[in-house]
Amino acid sequence: MGAINVDLVVAAGRLPGPGETVVGARVERHGGGKGANAAVAAARAGAAVRLVGAVGADENGASALSELRAQGVGVGDVAVLDGEATGVALIVVDPEGENQIAVGAGANAAVTADQVGAALQDALPGAGCVLVSTEIPGDAVAAAVQAATAAGVPCVLNPAPVIPEVVDLLAHGPLLTPNATEIAELAAMLGQQPAGMVAAAGEEALGATGGGATGAGRRAEVDGAWMVVARTGAPVVITLGGDGVLVLTPDGQVDHVPPTPVTVRDTTGAGDTFNGVLAARIAAGDRLDVAVRVATTAASLSVAQLGARDGMPDAVTIEAALRTT
């Protein structure tokens, strides 16, 4: 469950500074929103997907739902709301694929805990994983995480953006998938590094990495992750863009999964691809290390095309890439 947007993308020579205008040659329209993007990624990876969210009763909403259906995503739990506009993201992309994004939430801000609860009451008996992103109201996020974990269904919580409700939800034990910025925000919200076995194990594992992506250069992310692990009792998966992924587990293990080398055109949606494929593989019964490796490969492949979804690979493409790495 999560946001459904329309993305308006301008490819420019560079990203604008404060108060600055940059000009690109054209505007491209793509389907977007973290919830919808992850749903598409999961469906392309072979999962049966139901999406919970909301769109406006407008042309953008109708187009968004049509695109999702065409990708094999079930949209029966998406509310179509009169008087609300479908969410829109305004995106500028530079030649290196880096982006700046501003989002008008629109109907996404009207997703309710009752809507989420009703959808999950029907879906949970057959669910293999519940994936939740936080571009929807906090009470709806909480309803999803609490229902999934209470039912014993694996729950992946992507805290993008970090909202206050995430801290209280750690006690329910979801698998968190923050990026480097988000784990820093979570650590600041959680306070000082906890003492105890998890923190001590983390120190030992960090020292054993000997530098690099899991060593001193990523010390802040690793320290923040141990703070989350101590509260969830579950692994934390940190996405690091071009540096790949870190996986930290309650037994003190730190594993680094490198990305697949590609020519980067647009990083928009790479994290959504990762989360969607991760959830799909967890639902299929993969061990976490296997699921992360598959999801990292899929996210790497996704940045080779402009737009959040156009580069999302299918299961055959992912498998072919895994055979070559």
Side-chain angles (χ1 to χ4, degrees):
M1 34 220 77
I4 303 167
N5 291 331
V6 171
D7 289 352
L8 302 178
V9 183
V10 174
R14 58 187 173 83
L15 301 179
E20 183 183 15
T21 298
V22 297
V23 178
R26 64 188 183 278
V27 177
E28 296 190 8
R29 181 195 176 283
H30 302 275
K34 290 186 179 297
N37 289 345
V40 170
R44 288 190 184 176
V49 182
R50 293 173 61 165
L51 176 62
V52 183
V55 296
D58 54 18
E59 182 179 348
N60 281 339
S63 176
L65 293 182
S66 177
E67 291 172 5
L68 288 165
R69 291 188 193 98
Q71 294 292 335
V73 176
V75 295
D77 298 306
V78 176
V80 180
L81 304 176
D82 291 326
E84 296 282 356
T86 300
V88 175
L90 308 176
I91 304 171
V92 182
V93 182
D94 74 10
E96 284 71 47
E98 294 300 325
N99 58 51
Q100 289 179 344
I101 305 174
V103 177
N108 296 308
V111 177
T112 68
D114 287 344
Q115 177 192 354
V116 168
L120 286 178
Q121 185 175 11
D122 179 58
L124 278 177
C129 186
V130 173
L131 171 61
V132 189
S133 56
T134 53
E135 290 180 326
I136 57 176
D139 60 346
V141 171
V145 173
Q146 290 166 1
T149 54
V153 175
C155 180
V156 176
L157 175 58
N158 178 222
V162 176
I163 59 176
E165 287 82 359
V166 170
V167 172
D168 291 336
L169 292 172
L170 298 181
H172 295 274
L175 171 67
L176 260 67
T177 57
N179 64 20
T181 300
E182 291 150 4
I183 195 64
E185 293 177 15
L186 277 168
M189 294 171 72
L190 290 172
Q192 296 184 346
Q193 171 76 25
M197 293 179 63
V198 171
E203 293 284 338
E204 181 178 351
L206 178 61
T209 62
T214 57
R218 290 297 181 181
R219 182 57 179 262
E221 289 89 345
V222 170
D223 284 350
W226 291 130
M227 297 171 71
V228 174
V229 170
R231 288 160 172 79
T232 63
V236 172
V237 178
I238 308 175
T239 56
L240 301 173
D243 286 337
V245 176
L246 288 180
V247 182
L248 296 90
T249 57
D251 62 1
Q253 183 71 29
V254 183
D255 291 321
H256 175 234
V257 181
T260 299
V262 296
T263 300
V264 177
R265 289 197 62 204
D266 182 5
T267 58
T268 308
D272 305 334
T273 302
F274 177 86
N275 280 284
V277 176
L278 178 70
R281 296 317 309 165
I282 289 172
D286 284 357
R287 296 192 321 265
L288 181 61
D289 61 329
V290 176
V292 168
R293 179 168 177 257
V294 175
T296 302
T297 298
S300 299
L301 296 172
S302 75
V303 304
Q305 300 293 329
L306 193 66
R309 297 182 193 166
D310 287 355
M312 288 180 174
D314 60 19
V316 173
T317 303
I318 296 170
E319 181 59 34
L322 286 168
R323 286 197 298 270
T324 64
T325 57

